Amino acid sequence: MTGKEISIIHPRPSSIVAALYTLRDLNVDVAILHGPPGCSFKHARLLEEDGIHVVTTALDENGFVFGGHDKLVQLINKSVELFSPKIIGVVGTCASMIIGEEMHEAVLEANPDVPVIEVEVHAGYHNNTKGVIFALESALDAGIIDHKEFERQEHLLAKATEVEKKFGAASKEYLAPSRGDVKYKVAKRVIELLKEGKRGITIMNAKKETGYMFADITLAVNEVAASLGKKDSIVNMANLDENLGLPRVRQHAEYIMRDLKAHGVEMHEIIGGMDEYPIAGEMVSELIKEKYSDYDFAIITGVPHAIPMDNLKGMELISVTNGPRQVLPMKELGHDYVMVEIDLHPKTLGVSSIVESEFGATLREVAKET
């Protein structure tokens, strides 16, 4: 981006929450939020569904003034006693960071016999990727990841921020949330295209665990195409490289590929790892230019706005996101249909197999009627 940064006035993801999810991807067993009891409640609860214990020092007004050093020491010791963790994460909040709490001193005093990833972060950063970077820096210091993986992650985060500022939820001063196009109407259109003998590409460019639901759309399109005798009309692409990313991210790719293969879905093109959604679009664009430029339509799921539009021109674009504020930017980019899987996050935490999507279910039902 050049020139003066625009001021974004709609609510945006928090760096504290981004740090928590990163600790999850690093296979931390316990994440300690050093702050008030209600901080990041929704995501803390969701992450517990994903197998990570999230606890809080529950700072009160007295703690906001005098600090919570003793509470943090006690909670680290209590967490070791209760959960026997292999790795602990300690995450700052707005309250503890504003008063300048020295979390490291508390960690030294508690001295647990396991690595501790300390993340001094608050929610005041404009880009929530700051929370991810801070967590990764601390993981590097603790010897959890090596320098090569840290640099790779840092590059991806810079690209992710760039995509959101150019084409996503940070591209305009205010974006109203939208549910996008009606899924029934779009499902009918996909079936029309297949019946007319048009050739299509499914492109899953999903962010980490969201792939469990977006993969269902790839699956549904292939099922419906097969039922219409049009199986060979579909080419599948997905960012499901099982060898790239933090430990839990690689595991997601492995599980999703397992499920797609079990359903007989052939993956024609692997376009990157599940943390490479900000850069996978370049490979997609080259593949289309070289091999699929004469295809008629594309069904893009996950982070569709990260796919360059140049080589998609001439195709009918059907896109699915889980971001209600990304509908308008994608419409303006030229996507013909944009749909939202609104409850994707709660349904994809704590799972290890493909989860049914609203659009996938709708497509299957509409296909039965025709």
Side-chain angles (χ1 to χ4, degrees):
M1 296 287 285
T2 56
K4 188 178 179 182
E5 294 275 341
I6 58 172
S7 175
I8 310 298
I9 63 173
H10 54 253
R12 301 183 62 205
S14 158
S15 289
I16 298 170
V17 172
L20 285 171
Y21 277 91
T22 305
L23 293 177
R24 183 275 315 266
D25 291 340
L26 289 160
N27 279 344
V28 162
D29 304 284
V30 180
I32 298 173
L33 270 169
H34 188 36
C39 181
S40 305
F41 163 74
K42 180 181 176 182
H43 287 280
R45 186 183 62 75
L46 288 173
L47 282 167
E48 291 218 286
E49 298 290 324
D50 215 14
I52 177 174
H53 300 289
V54 183
V55 293
T56 173
T57 50
L59 292 182
D60 56 15
E61 289 174 323
N62 189 60
F64 293 170
V65 176
F66 298 107
H69 172 91
D70 292 345
K71 281 192 169 186
L72 182 52
V73 173
Q74 291 164 13
L75 188 54
I76 293 170
N77 291 329
K78 188 71 175 177
S79 297
V80 172
E81 176 189 333
L82 284 176
F83 307 118
S84 302
K86 294 177 181 172
I87 309 175
I88 296 174
V90 179
V91 181
T93 63
C94 298
S96 56
M97 293 298 98
I98 287 171
I99 63 175
E101 191 80 281
E102 290 289 345
M103 297 195 309
H104 186 61
E105 288 184 3
V107 172
L108 289 177
E109 185 173 330
N111 194 26
D113 193 23
V114 295
V116 178
I117 301 175
E118 303 164 30
V119 191
E120 295 195 359
V121 65
H122 51 71
Y125 297 100
H126 288 276
N127 301 320
N128 72 322
T129 48
K130 278 285 187 183
V132 182
I133 291 171
F134 292 158
L136 291 169
E137 286 175 341
S138 185
L140 177 64
D141 292 341
I144 307 297
I145 60 173
D146 60 26
H147 204 76
K148 183 179 178 183
E149 180 62 22
F150 174 77
E151 288 182 344
R152 178 178 168 277
Q153 294 288 335
E154 195 174 39
H155 172 68
L156 293 175
L157 291 164
K159 289 294 183 182
T161 299
E162 190 178 305
V163 166
E164 288 310 309
K165 287 185 175 181
K166 285 183 175 177
F167 311 117
S171 61
K172 293 183 184 297
E173 182 182 48
Y174 180 76
L175 284 164
S178 166
R179 299 295 175 94
D181 290 292
V182 175
K183 294 179 177 69
Y184 178 78
K185 174 184 168 185
V186 184
K188 289 182 71 174
R189 181 59 187 153
V190 171
I191 291 168
E192 282 175 5
L193 289 165
L194 288 168
K195 283 185 171 180
E196 290 169 5
K198 305 293 186 184
R199 295 191 297 170
I201 310 170
T202 72
I203 305 168
M204 189 183 92
N205 187 36
K207 181 179 179 180
K208 305 178 183 178
E209 70 275 6
T210 66
Y212 285 114
M213 185 174 283
F214 289 125
D216 180 62
I217 295 169
T218 298
L219 181 56
V221 171
N222 280 266
E223 287 174 356
V224 169
S227 71
L228 295 171
K230 305 290 185 182
K231 182 180 178 181
D232 294 337
S233 299
I234 299 296
V235 161
N236 301 304
M237 302 183 186
N239 59 330
L240 287 173
D241 191 320
E242 302 169 23
N243 301 308
L244 293 172
L246 299 180
R248 191 165 297 211
V249 173
R250 295 198 302 270
Q251 193 176 57
H252 294 325
E254 179 186 340
Y255 288 161
I256 293 170
M257 277 298 290
R258 174 202 64 197
D259 288 358
L260 289 172
K261 286 179 182 174
H263 286 85
V265 174
E266 181 181 357
M267 191 53 60
H268 302 88
E269 309 285 358
I270 297 294
I271 57 173
M274 296 202 74
D275 55 4
E276 294 193 325
Y277 59 93
I279 62 171
E282 295 298 331
M283 182 180 287
V284 172
S285 192
E286 285 301 310
L287 285 167
I288 290 174
K289 181 181 177 182
E290 293 172 8
K291 300 168 70 175
Y292 309 111
S293 60
D294 56 345
Y295 274 58
D296 304 292
F297 67 98
I299 299 173
I300 312 173
T301 62
V303 188
H305 50 291
I307 309 293
M309 294 294 286
D310 294 350
N311 293 313
L312 291 169
K313 286 176 181 172
M315 292 187 196
E316 192 162 329
L317 299 184
I318 297 161
S319 296
V320 191
T321 174
N322 64 314
R325 296 188 194 278
Q326 288 165 349
V327 173
L328 179 62
M330 283 200 282
K331 285 279 188 180
E332 290 181 345
L333 275 174
H335 294 249
D336 298 282
Y337 302 96
V338 180
M339 295 172 285
V340 179
E341 293 285 347
I342 194 70
D343 57 352
L344 181 146
H345 263 301
K347 289 185 175 179
T348 55
L349 288 172
V351 303
S352 55
S353 58
I354 290 177
V355 174
E356 185 180 65
S357 62
E358 284 188 1
F359 182 58
T362 305
L363 186 60
R364 293 181 179 101
E365 286 301 310
V366 173
K368 291 177 185 174
E369 299 171 1
T370 57

